[in-house]
Amino acid sequence: MKKTRLQQSDLEVSCFCLGTAEMGASVAKAEAFRQFDRFLEAGGNFIDTAHVYNDWVPGETARSEKVIGQWLKASKKRNEVILSTKGGHPRLETMEISRAVPEEIKKDLEESLAYLGVDTIDLYFLHRDNISLPAEELLAVLEQAKREGKIRYYGCSNWKLDRIREAEEAAKKNGFSGFICNQVMWSLAVVNEEQLTDPTLVLMDDETLEYQKQTKMNTMAYTSLAKGYFSKKIAGKAIREPNASLYKNKANDGLEVYLRRLEREEGISPMAASMAYLMEQDVVTVPIISFSSMGQLEEAIQASGTTLGKARMETLEVLRRG
């Protein structure tokens, strides 16, 4: 599997990142262990999680981090993994109340370290913003954690561009290292933004992408395959809600026609095209992909070597704009 160096860092990561949002719940522990082992065997090394993952299932909290920690302990492969996690997400029952405050961020970080069973997290994200606080105050917490050796680098997830700019200025002013990565909702599929059920999610847009090109800020793209929208459509499978409403639009209809042709005439699957669309951006972009089965993981491993080239990328961009 190809590797890429995250800019502004010494982190050399696999071309796609293994997502773990359902590990420990709908993806059982044994299946999760198999995925981790196979991912590393195939040359992968980048695993992403969050302190809140699987808290939507009643009972135990932080299941994903705990499963990863158990696997790292059993496999003794910590040194083979670039590990990212996120903290500061609101409680799911009170999403309107921000937890991106210094004391809660510190609490989440300490718990993440304990659950993962590691001394240092390679890349730590603020999972949500808190616009009631200066970005400088939030960065100071992360910079302190970096000085203490608890994290190596840090980034933002679901932050809007004006706040990312504010954070950049705060970093320059205070001599902080600053955000090196933005974890954002982005895929080949065009999203009907008004259909998002979580208003705190932030989509990649043209202005943010241009800013990241200029500043060499890396991207990690979540929901990077649009939950299989194109693969399912082209395979003749039903698209369930909320995905049907989220992705049904003229642009995606046009993309579907083109993807069918790519698969029919050139053997490029919808998954391969969707992954390559992100990997071939002008800014370093790593798609995060979660799998419910080993078969899906195997398909992604095979697809990860696909390249589209300039002409196909230009066609996709034209189609995305409807």
Side-chain angles (χ1 to χ4, degrees):
M1 190 181 301
K2 295 180 293 185
K3 298 281 197 307
T4 186
R5 176 68 62 88
L6 295 186
Q7 297 182 102
Q8 307 179 65
S9 83
D10 62 357
L11 301 178
E12 189 170 348
V13 303
S14 47
C15 59
F16 76 89
C17 178
L18 183 60
T20 64
E22 296 297 334
M23 289 186 174
S26 63
V27 176
K29 175 179 170 180
E31 171 71 9
F33 277 32
R34 284 193 289 270
Q35 289 192 24
F36 294 139
D37 290 337
R38 177 63 183 122
F39 183 60
L40 263 65
E41 180 185 21
N45 71 342
F46 199 11
I47 296 176
D48 177 73
T49 185
H51 195 49
V52 74
Y53 282 173
N54 271 310
D55 285 5
W56 43 83
V57 179
E60 187 180 7
T61 60
R63 289 179 181 88
S64 175
E65 288 185 329
K66 290 173 183 175
V67 166
I68 294 169
Q70 291 162 11
W71 173 75
L72 289 173
K73 182 177 180 180
S75 67
K76 297 180 170 55
K77 292 181 178 178
R78 173 64 183 101
N79 292 336
E80 300 178 34
V81 173
I82 304 298
L83 192 60
S84 71
T85 192
K86 303 177 281 292
H89 193 285
R91 304 287 179 206
L92 297 178
E93 63 274 15
T94 52
M95 284 292 293
E96 72 282 1
I97 302 174
S98 177
R99 291 185 60 257
V101 295
E103 59 272 21
E104 295 288 349
I105 295 167
K106 292 175 185 177
K107 178 178 180 292
D108 282 3
L109 174 56
E110 292 298 334
E111 290 179 353
S112 291
L113 289 164
Y115 294 150
L116 293 165
V118 299
D119 297 321
T120 305
I121 292 163
D122 299 300
L123 181 53
Y124 190 78
F125 290 89
L126 292 182
H127 207 165
R128 292 294 191 278
D129 191 8
N130 180 357
I131 61 173
S132 70
L133 293 180
E136 179 178 358
E137 188 173 334
L138 300 177
L139 259 63
V141 178
L142 301 176
E143 195 68 23
Q144 178 64 33
K146 184 177 179 181
R147 287 196 296 268
E148 293 171 352
K150 295 175 181 178
I151 60 177
R152 294 177 63 193
Y153 301 96
Y154 54 87
C156 58
S157 181
N158 296 296
W159 278 47
K160 294 192 175 175
L161 181 57
D162 62 336
R163 289 283 286 176
I164 295 175
R165 291 185 189 277
E166 182 185 335
E168 180 191 20
E169 292 304 312
K172 289 177 180 177
K173 170 187 170 185
N174 292 279
F176 296 161
S177 54
F179 294 144
I180 71 158
C181 191
N182 180 21
Q183 199 169 124
V184 64
M185 188 174 183
W186 190 18
S187 72
L188 174 60
V190 176
V191 176
N192 298 320
E193 191 168 359
E194 70 280 1
Q195 295 294 328
L196 285 172
T197 56
D198 180 353
T200 69
L201 300 180
V202 175
L203 303 173
M204 177 63 83
D205 58 27
D206 291 344
E207 190 178 2
T208 302
L209 184 58
E210 185 58 35
Y211 168 83
Q212 291 191 217
K213 290 177 184 178
Q214 293 172 2
T215 60
K216 301 186 185 304
M217 188 180 194
N218 306 286
T219 305
M220 291 172 70
Y222 69 81
T223 322
S224 61
L225 299 182
K227 298 187 177 179
Y229 180 80
F230 289 125
S231 295
K232 291 175 182 176
K233 284 274 287 183
I234 291 170
K237 297 179 181 178
I239 306 296
R240 298 177 181 175
E241 294 293 353
N243 266 24
S245 297
L246 197 58
Y247 294 110
K248 178 59 179 173
N249 54 54
K250 180 182 176 182
N252 289 338
D253 289 346
L255 284 164
E256 180 191 339
V257 171
Y258 183 65
L259 292 174
R260 284 181 183 275
R261 197 180 95 196
L262 279 182
E263 184 168 46
R264 182 178 63 253
E265 298 179 1
E266 303 185 54
I268 299 174
S269 71
M271 175 186 280
S274 297
M275 292 171 67
Y277 170 75
L278 293 169
M279 293 174 186
E280 293 178 47
Q281 292 292 325
D282 291 335
V283 62
V284 173
T285 302
V286 181
I288 306 168
I289 312 177
S290 300
F291 308 97
S292 59
S293 70
M294 288 294 291
Q296 292 174 348
L297 173 57
E298 291 292 347
E299 184 183 354
I301 290 168
Q302 295 302 314
S304 66
T306 301
T307 56
L308 293 174
K310 183 178 179 181
R312 294 193 193 100
M313 286 289 288
E314 289 177 349
T315 298
L316 291 174
E317 288 294 358
V318 169
L319 291 169
R320 287 187 91 246
R321 297 179 190 285

